[in-house]
């Protein structure tokens, strides 16, 4: 019988021992094939106007996914081979040559890889339809294509995973050359002695994290620290201090806390608490690196997904800032304006909420006297009267009115950015017209506009008297303003109006900006969510595999506990507490890192991210709880299987 046949027979009769690794391979292949199928999907390419951008985004994300999946498979294979060290040692003890054992392990890994590749592609093909529908939905499209398997996606997946499988198989082949016979039999008994706790290093971990947090929360535009260190170097300093602080937190601070808990007799000597605490103390250094990786990955995932979802969640409100009116255009052709009016009023799907014709002036302003000067000296402003402003503000349900006198003016700037935008209030601007120059003083700043940004641009409100004086020698530009019902679904009406108006009308539509934002934000949230789900599943699996490996090593200890009278309920309670510490600690640290990162980001973007971020954190924590429950149950079954 050949080694290949022995490997195949061994796998068939001991499939239970191979199941976890085989499942990990299938999961990785399903995720990658599903993701890469979206890149080649004809429905997405035919429907979306930004198919080139989507393809580029998927190319970049697929590289990240390949690296992560390769690391995940490598880790899974390491766990799998660790469980088989005794088996390999037994083969060696019976006189089988290392070369033959290595080849057998190579064949087993390769067969599992090919089998997982076949199953993964089939499952991925089924799931890809669901994810195509999901992607189209979040991007605002309703098109559903026919079921088809992309040949390009199959070739791509087979190529990538054949390479990964070959590397993983060679890793198994090298196993027999890396260990002595005695090491193979005692592999499960390897572990650390109870380490010593250092109060200084424990405090240093908190100081390092505190420094990283403090730097991250600085005002980038005004911080002297950022200027001194450098805007390119400071983020690197934050990254290093937080990662190093996190590692020391898990490696030393948690150890110090556990030792304090152990000294607390009222807790430690209650029930089997001492057993759980001692187990954690025994392995804390071995888990420190893993917990650090989980915490940093969790923080990165939550930050990326939270940011992407924030853009998606706030898309409508962001568009409302730039397009407070459903539609707006410059009335430079009365006949075309009449056609547009008929199209809007005769449309059965949308009712007109209000229709206004606003008289405006386009004047060049000398802005050299503005506080916090801009890099240019002149700027074109759209000028409207306070009367028109108040009427539009009332129609838009704004509880805001302007009462201006003399040379007083108000500037409308929805994109106002503290620290970058000028300090308008108290500054003066000179308007230069055909035959006159008038100086106005900004008395008020409104961080919104009543006109659509694309059509009107920078807007200034002046008193009615000043507007009348300026209008005597200047050409007035009439702006047609419409508000309709169900504006986010006005695709057909918007396309009809675009076909009528010329480019110089500068037509702006709530629907166009909403659909464009929804497409971009939808792609971001889908890719962020997809990769976030992969990272979550992989990090959860890493903890799961690690704890199952420890469960196999701890089996004899729990058998002894059971034999001396500790009941199963108490043993499971001890396991649950021990796993709660392992799962909760990196999650809490990851959420803390994420909260600081998103707080800094919200300050930079000047937007509120609380609601979308809380939703993401809740979903992430819920899935982590599921992993925790699965790990506790699996751990318990392993340590108690000889007593069932």
């Amino acid at each position: 019988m050949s080694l290949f046949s022995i490997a195949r027979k061994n796998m068939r009769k001991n499939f239970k021992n191979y199941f976890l690794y085989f499942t990990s391979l299938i999961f990785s292949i399903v995720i990658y094939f599903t993701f890469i199928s979206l890149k080649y999907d004809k429905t997405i390419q035919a429907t979306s106007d930004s198919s080139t951008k989507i393809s580029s985004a998927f190319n970049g994300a697929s590289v990240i996914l390949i690296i992560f999946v390769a690391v995940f498979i490598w880790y899974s294979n390491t766990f799998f081979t660790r469980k088989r060290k005794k088996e390999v040692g037994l083969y060696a003890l019976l006189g089988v040559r290392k070369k033959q054992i290595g080849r057998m392990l190579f064949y087993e890994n390769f067969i599992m890889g090919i089998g997982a590749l076949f199953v993964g592609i089939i499952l991925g093909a089924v799931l890809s339809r669901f994810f195509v529908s999901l992607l189209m939905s979040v991007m605002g499209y309703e098109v559903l294509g026919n079921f088809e398997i992309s040949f390009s996606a199959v070739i791509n997946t087979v190529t990538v995973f054949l390479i990964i499988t070959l590397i993983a198989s060679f890793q198994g082949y090298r196993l027999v050359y890396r260990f002595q016979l005695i090491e193979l039999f005692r592999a499960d008994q390897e572990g650390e002695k109870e380490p010593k706790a250092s109060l200084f290093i424990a405090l240093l971990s908190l100081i390092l994290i505190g420094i990283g947090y403090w730097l991250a929360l600085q005002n980038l535009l005004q911080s002297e620290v950022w200027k001194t260190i450098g805007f390119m170097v400071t983020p690197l300093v934050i990254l290093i201090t937080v990662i190093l602080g996190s590692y020391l937190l898990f490696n030393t601070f948690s150890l110090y806390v556990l030792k304090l808990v152990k000294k607390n007799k009222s807790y430690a000597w209650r029930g089997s608490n001492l057993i759980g605490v001692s187990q954690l103390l025994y392995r804390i250094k071995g888990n420190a690196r893993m917990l650090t990786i989980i915490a940093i990955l969790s923080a990165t995932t939550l930050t990326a997904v939270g940011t992407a979802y924030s853009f998606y969640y706030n898309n409508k409100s962001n568009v409302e800032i730039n397009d407070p009116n459903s539609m707006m255009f410059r009335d430079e052709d009365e006949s075309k304006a009449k056609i547009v009016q008929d199209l809007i009023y005769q449309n059965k799907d949308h009712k007109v909420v209000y229709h206004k014709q606003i008289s405006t002036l386009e004047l060049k302003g000398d802005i050299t006297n503005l506080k916090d000067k801009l890099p240019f000296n002149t700027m074109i402003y759209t000028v409207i009267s306070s009367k028109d402003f108040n009427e539009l503000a009332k129609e838009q349900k704004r509880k805001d009115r302007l009462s201006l006198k003399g040379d007083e003016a108000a500037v409308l700037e929805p994109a106002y950015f503290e620290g970058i935008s000028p300090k308008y209030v108290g500054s003066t601007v000179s308007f230069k017209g055909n035959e006159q120059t008038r100086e106005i003083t900004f008395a008020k700043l409104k961080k919104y506009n009543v006109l659509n940004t694309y059509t009107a641009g920078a807007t200034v409100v002046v008193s009615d008297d000043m507007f009348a004086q300026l209008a005597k020698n200047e050409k007035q530009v009439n702006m047609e303003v419409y508000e309709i019902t169900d504006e986010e679904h006005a695709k057909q009406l918007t396309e009809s109006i675009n076909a009528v108006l010329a480019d110089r009308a500068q037509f702006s539509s709530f629907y166009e900006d909403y659909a464009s934002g929804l497409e971009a934000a939808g792609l971001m949230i889908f890719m962020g969510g997809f990769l976030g789900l992969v990272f979550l599943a992989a990090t959860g699996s890493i903890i799961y595999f690690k704890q199952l490996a420890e469960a196999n090593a701890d089996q004899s200890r729990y058998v002894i506990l059971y034999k001396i009278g500790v009941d199963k309920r108490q043993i499971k309670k001890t396991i649950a507490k021990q796993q709660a510490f392992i799962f909760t600690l990196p999650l809490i640290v990851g959420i803390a890192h994420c909260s600081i990162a998103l707080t800094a980001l919200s300050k930079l973007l000047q937007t509120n991210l609380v609601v979308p971020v809380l939703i993401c954190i809740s979903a992430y924590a819920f899935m982590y709880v599921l992993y925790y429950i699965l790990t506790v149950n699996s751990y318990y079954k392993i340590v108690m299987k000889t007593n069932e």
Side-chain angles (χ1 to χ4, degrees):
M1 183 178 290
S2 65
L3 286 174
F4 186 84
S5 301
I6 294 173
R8 189 175 56 189
K9 186 177 181 181
N10 192 25
M11 289 177 60
R12 187 173 63 251
K13 292 190 175 182
N14 298 283
F15 185 72
K16 185 178 180 181
N17 295 326
Y18 296 83
F19 181 73
L20 277 177
Y21 180 53
F22 189 66
T23 304
S24 300
L25 287 173
I26 292 175
F27 168 78
S28 302
I29 293 165
V30 167
I31 290 296
Y32 183 79
F33 179 77
T34 302
F35 190 81
I36 209 68
S37 293
L38 299 177
K39 172 186 171 183
Y40 296 107
D41 190 85
K42 294 180 180 178
T43 304
I44 297 174
Q45 294 176 355
T47 307
S48 173
D49 296 329
S50 346
S51 56
T52 305
K53 295 180 181 179
I54 292 176
S55 180
S56 300
F58 274 108
N59 282 334
S62 62
V63 173
I64 299 174
L65 192 59
I66 288 173
I67 296 171
F68 200 81
V69 164
V71 172
F72 176 61
I73 291 177
W74 185 276
Y75 189 90
S76 301
N77 188 48
T78 300
F79 167 76
F80 174 66
T81 52
R82 180 181 176 86
K83 287 186 65 176
R84 305 192 61 207
K85 284 181 181 178
K86 283 187 178 180
E87 179 187 340
V88 172
L90 183 60
Y91 286 139
L93 191 64
L94 293 173
V96 182
R97 288 183 298 173
K98 288 184 176 181
K99 184 178 180 180
Q100 292 176 315
I101 299 172
R103 284 174 59 191
M104 187 180 70
L105 292 178
F106 176 87
Y107 291 147
E108 289 180 7
N109 273 289
F110 192 74
I111 291 171
M112 277 193 290
I114 297 299
L117 192 60
F118 179 75
V119 175
I121 288 177
I122 293 176
L123 292 177
V126 175
L127 285 176
S128 63
R129 234 351 60 199
F130 165 75
F131 281 108
V132 166
S133 302
L134 182 61
L135 176 58
M136 298 297 285
S137 176
V138 297
M139 290 176 66
Y141 297 107
E142 298 179 355
V143 180
L144 293 178
N146 298 322
F147 177 82
E148 61 179 20
I149 298 176
S150 170
F151 182 72
S152 299
V154 172
I155 296 298
N156 189 308
T157 305
V158 169
T159 303
V160 168
F161 278 89
L162 273 179
I163 295 172
I164 294 176
T165 299
L166 283 171
I167 294 172
S169 299
F170 276 113
Q171 183 188 10
Y173 182 84
R174 291 176 60 242
L175 173 69
V176 293
Y177 294 96
R178 290 165 52 196
F179 297 100
Q180 298 297 322
L181 188 60
I182 188 65
E183 291 177 332
L184 294 171
F185 280 107
R186 298 184 60 185
D188 288 339
Q189 299 173 17
E190 295 172 3
E192 297 85 5
K193 295 180 180 179
E194 182 177 318
K196 295 179 180 180
S198 170
L199 178 60
F200 171 75
I201 296 179
L203 293 175
L204 180 62
S205 69
L206 297 178
I207 292 171
L208 286 171
I209 293 175
I211 291 172
Y213 284 3
W214 178 71
L215 286 172
L217 294 175
Q218 294 288 305
N219 188 320
L220 303 187
L221 302 173
Q222 300 175 356
S223 174
E224 292 296 329
V225 179
W226 276 70
K227 291 179 182 178
T228 303
I229 300 175
F231 288 96
M232 299 297 291
V233 179
T234 306
L236 184 61
V237 174
I238 294 172
L239 193 64
I240 292 172
T241 54
V242 169
I243 292 177
L244 181 58
S246 299
Y247 177 75
L248 295 178
L249 181 77
F250 295 122
N251 190 58
T252 305
F253 184 81
S254 58
L255 173 64
Y256 191 80
V257 171
L258 286 171
K259 282 186 174 289
L260 290 178
V261 171
K262 190 176 180 180
K263 291 179 181 179
N264 185 351
K265 295 182 180 180
S266 61
Y267 174 81
W269 293 93
R270 188 190 309 156
S272 58
N273 289 340
L274 185 62
I275 299 169
V277 173
S278 298
Q279 290 270 65
L280 290 170
L281 278 171
Y282 182 74
R283 290 199 174 99
I284 193 64
K285 280 190 175 292
N287 286 323
R289 185 169 57 182
M290 177 197 71
L291 295 178
T292 304
I293 293 171
I294 300 300
I296 299 302
L297 281 176
S298 297
T300 305
T301 302
L302 285 171
T303 302
V305 175
T307 303
Y309 185 59
S310 296
F311 285 117
Y312 187 79
Y313 183 86
N314 294 320
N315 179 51
K316 186 174 182 179
S317 59
N318 290 336
V319 175
E320 286 172 344
I321 293 173
N322 291 311
D323 297 304
N325 308 289
S326 299
M327 296 173 181
M328 183 174 168
F329 61 92
R330 297 161 60 100
D331 183 3
E332 297 191 346
D333 188 327
E334 291 185 6
S335 60
K336 290 186 177 181
K338 183 63 171 63
I339 295 173
V340 171
Q341 181 177 323
D342 292 340
L343 284 172
I344 295 174
Y345 275 92
Q346 293 172 10
N347 191 285
K348 297 179 181 179
D349 297 325
H350 308 280
K351 294 181 180 180
V352 177
V353 178
Y354 64 79
H355 171 211
K356 295 284 184 183
Q357 187 179 72
I358 306 297
S359 295
T360 70
L361 301 171
E362 289 187 348
L363 298 175
K364 181 184 290 186
D366 183 347
I367 59 174
T368 54
N369 293 325
L370 273 183
K371 295 177 182 178
D372 294 341
K373 294 180 182 179
L374 294 169
F376 36 85
N377 295 325
T378 60
M379 186 172 180
I380 301 297
Y381 284 100
T382 296
V383 181
I384 62 173
S385 67
S386 57
K387 177 186 175 183
D388 285 336
F389 170 86
N390 290 332
E391 286 182 0
L392 267 180
K394 183 180 179 181
E395 293 286 3
Q396 293 168 8
K397 305 294 190 271
R398 300 182 190 275
K399 297 179 181 180
D400 201 358
R401 298 292 179 270
L402 283 176
S403 179
L404 302 171
K405 298 178 181 179
D407 65 351
E408 290 181 343
V411 61
L412 310 182
E413 187 171 340
Y416 184 82
F417 199 107
E418 194 72 42
I420 294 181
S421 297
K423 296 177 181 177
Y424 289 102
V425 178
S427 299
T428 60
V429 169
S430 296
F431 283 140
K432 296 180 179 180
N434 293 325
E435 299 179 6
Q436 60 183 328
T437 298
R438 293 296 299 268
E439 192 173 85
I440 57 110
T441 301
F442 289 123
K444 293 183 179 179
L445 164 67
K446 301 296 181 184
K447 296 179 183 179
Y448 63 85
N449 202 342
V450 293
L451 304 178
N452 291 9
T453 302
Y454 174 72
T455 307
T459 306
V460 170
V461 184
V462 297
S463 65
D464 295 339
D465 291 339
M466 178 171 282
F467 186 86
Q469 293 174 21
L470 291 170
K472 289 179 181 179
N473 299 307
E474 303 296 331
K475 179 184 177 181
Q476 294 189 42
V477 178
N478 293 325
M479 302 281 190
E480 297 287 343
V481 177
Y482 290 89
E483 181 68 21
I484 61 174
T485 59
D486 199 22
E487 57 189 359
E488 60 265 35
H489 297 107
K491 180 180 180 180
Q492 185 176 356
L493 180 58
T494 300
E495 290 176 348
S496 300
I497 295 173
N498 266 320
V500 172
L501 295 174
D503 291 340
R504 66 177 183 274
Q506 293 180 228
F507 174 66
S508 59
S509 161
F510 177 93
Y511 167 77
E512 285 183 326
D513 289 343
Y514 175 78
S516 177
L518 193 67
E519 181 177 290
L523 179 61
M524 285 178 62
I525 185 58
F526 178 83
M527 296 186 69
F530 195 96
L531 292 177
L533 183 63
V534 174
F535 287 9
L536 170 63
T539 52
S541 298
I542 287 172
I543 298 181
Y544 180 72
F545 290 153
K546 178 71 173 177
Q547 295 311 301
L548 291 196
E550 293 183 358
N552 283 292
D554 292 339
Q555 188 177 21
S556 59
R557 299 184 182 97
Y558 281 100
V559 169
I560 294 172
L561 286 175
Y562 182 70
K563 288 180 177 179
I564 63 175
V566 180
D567 60 31
K568 293 181 179 180
R569 183 180 177 184
Q570 193 66 36
I571 289 176
K572 191 167 187 177
K573 188 176 180 181
T574 301
I575 294 171
K577 288 182 179 179
Q578 183 177 330
Q579 296 306 313
F581 182 86
I582 296 295
F583 273 86
T584 304
L585 197 57
L587 182 61
I588 291 175
V589 173
I591 290 175
H593 294 346
C594 163
S595 300
I596 296 299
L598 289 174
T599 300
L601 184 64
S602 65
K603 286 183 178 180
L604 186 63
L605 299 177
Q606 294 191 338
T607 185
N608 191 344
L609 306 178
V610 174
V611 175
V613 169
L614 284 178
I615 293 173
C616 292
I617 289 176
S618 300
Y620 195 87
F622 174 74
M623 296 185 70
Y624 237 71
V625 169
L626 295 181
Y627 262 108
Y628 164 73
I629 295 171
L630 175 64
T631 303
V632 169
N633 290 331
S634 299
Y635 196 110
Y636 174 77
K637 288 179 181 178
I638 290 173
V639 299
M640 296 302 296
K641 67 181 180 181
T642 58
N643 301 304
E644 296 294 338

